[in-house]
Amino acid sequence: MTSSPTTGDAHPYLRAATAGIRHHARPLATAQEPAPAERPHLDALHAHLTALHQLLDHLAETTRPPYPATGHHLALAHTRIWQAAAAVHDGFHTLPLPEESSGGCRPDQLPEGPPVLTVCQRHVAAGHTIRRKTTARDLTTPLHGHSTICTV
């Protein structure tokens, strides 16, 4: 279900990011033999999840005062997205390191730092937000049942 664009869209890049994910997920559904995940894929997915995490944090904070129930649901989604990002981060570190190319590639000399540190820095930064707003119990609580009635 999609909604039509509004003139006062507060998050103009969200629609483009969603389209980008659909574009990249489409080959996965049609591939005859899917390729296993690689570090660059998990790094990009982690970046998207942490950006979504920040967006949900902002939306929960701004929505909660006028609409407490909706703000609560967005805060729960914020926690679940953190859990997904944490799992992707852990998966990133369980993949084997790429073989060094003989072309003299030196990721430790990249301006943004080695890729493994970039994903960890992003993860630590997102972790500060989640620890500020949730408890350890919230992070381990299973997802609650659907509590609203959906109408068509």
Side-chain angles (χ1 to χ4, degrees):
M1 174 179 231
T2 60
S3 60
S4 60
T6 60
T7 55
D9 194 356
H11 307 284
Y13 299 110
L14 187 56
R15 226 177 296 290
T18 302
I21 288 177
R22 286 186 185 134
H23 170 76
H24 289 287
R26 192 172 301 123
L28 296 175
T30 60
Q32 295 178 341
E33 188 173 326
E38 295 178 355
R39 281 178 168 237
H41 301 130
L42 293 186
D43 184 28
L45 181 58
H46 186 267
H48 190 78
L49 287 170
T50 54
L52 185 57
H53 177 257
Q54 290 174 336
L55 176 60
L56 279 167
D57 178 48
H58 174 74
L59 289 174
E61 287 298 314
T62 57
T63 304
R64 186 170 279 152
Y67 307 105
T70 303
H72 176 72
H73 284 289
L74 292 174
L76 287 173
H78 172 253
T79 301
R80 300 306 177 227
I81 289 295
W82 165 255
Q83 290 170 330
V88 169
H89 174 257
D90 293 346
F92 175 90
H93 286 295
T94 60
L95 285 174
L97 291 170
E99 293 183 27
E100 291 298 321
S101 66
S102 60
C105 178
R106 297 290 313 259
D108 56 326
Q109 293 180 355
L110 293 171
E112 65 274 9
V116 69
L117 292 182
T118 304
V119 70
C120 291
Q121 289 169 348
R122 183 185 325 113
H123 195 68
V124 167
H128 288 299
T129 302
I130 198 72
R131 285 185 198 92
R132 224 179 42 237
K133 299 184 179 201
T134 58
T135 65
R137 184 174 182 214
D138 291 338
L139 293 175
T140 58
T141 302
L143 186 61
H144 67 82
H146 192 65
S147 63
T148 58
I149 298 171
C150 297
T151 58
V152 179

